[in-house]
Amino acid sequence: MTDTAPAHQADSAAALDGIKVLDIATLFAGPLAATLLADFGADVVKIEHPKGDPVRHHGASKDGVGLWWKMLARNKKAITLYLGSAEGQDIFRRMVADADVVIENFRPGTLERWGLGYETLAEINPRLVLARVTGFGQLGPYSKRPGFGTLAEAMSGFAAITGQPDGPPTLPPFGLADGVSALTAAFGIMTALHARNRTGRGQVLDLAIIEPMVTLLGPQAITYDQLGELQPRTGNRSANNAPRNTYRTKDDSWVAVSTSAQSIAERVMRLVGRPEFIDEPWFGSGAERARHADELDEAVGSWIAQRTRAEVVAAFEEAQAAVAPIYDMSDIFEDPQFQALETITEVDDEELGPIRFQNVPFRLDDTPGAVRWSGRRKSRDTAEVLGAYGVTADEIAALTERGIV
């Protein structure tokens, strides 16, 4: 990040300075929640199996170095510790004694089988918050099933409404449910920590990945409850307003148009030379406009098809109508708005040199977050972190020999 903050920030502690987090989760939702806390100053220790976290080998790599890991494990200290061993469990209990948060995503019952259930951990540290981020939660008939974000996207109702009307249910091409759950888990952890300030006690956060996605579906639950109606797949169209779609430009790019506000819908129709639609009795209602989407899409689409993407965006901006180009990542890297927000940041990685990836997801003007370092080499901080808990260099060497660290 560039140094554009006010001068008084130089002496400000990070927002979450003093919060200690033990991240023992794998793959995406739990670890990303820990990343968000680390971004704003929490002291996060990533505890991996000695064989290495699976994300190190998930997705693209360069020179044998996993790229997803570099983003997901940023701002975390990296240690290895086998929690399935008695020695590893003993060391972990020592670490829990001064921790604020533990984030885990093992199948329900795993921590208890290791002697690391919440009752045991709370005896060591009553102020501990244990965040349990699993596919189906800690209770119910599905709780023991393996759970991944894809399953949540399917079961939450999201896939059922996504895709073309005559096509199959459609899954997102990235970890949407994991990302939403990570944001929700980070909020839940901060809620529990705030409650701890009042009660003096920690607690368990039970987050089922299937639930935050259901929350995002807005009024669909109450609509089904009260009217018995299910939302159909409508492609890029909306049942609540029109025109709302993606449209191809003259230079074979794409733009998205939204007309959620009545005034915007009217501006769009004037811009594309079809003001007569505004006088139609159905045009004053978003739902009614949606029933005439074919006509409106033809009017907007034919106008856009005669112009380049740059021309379309400029014309919509001048008319104060809502449009956005359909970007890929190369566009995001070059766009001046993303550059102004510093959405993509650069950090000097110990293995790959200068690398760029997503920055912290929001800005605080007094205690801003920052990407201080990228995901580290396996076990880079084991000696330093465990040494602080009385584990000597000789003990670490012996534990390494036995595959425990």
Side-chain angles (χ1 to χ4, degrees), residues 40 390 403:
F40 288 88

Side-chain angles (χ1 to χ4, degrees), residues 22-41:
L22 303 179
D23 174 12
I24 60 174
T26 58
L27 294 176
F28 308 113
L32 182 55
T35 301
L36 296 171
L37 302 179
D39 284 347
F40 288 88

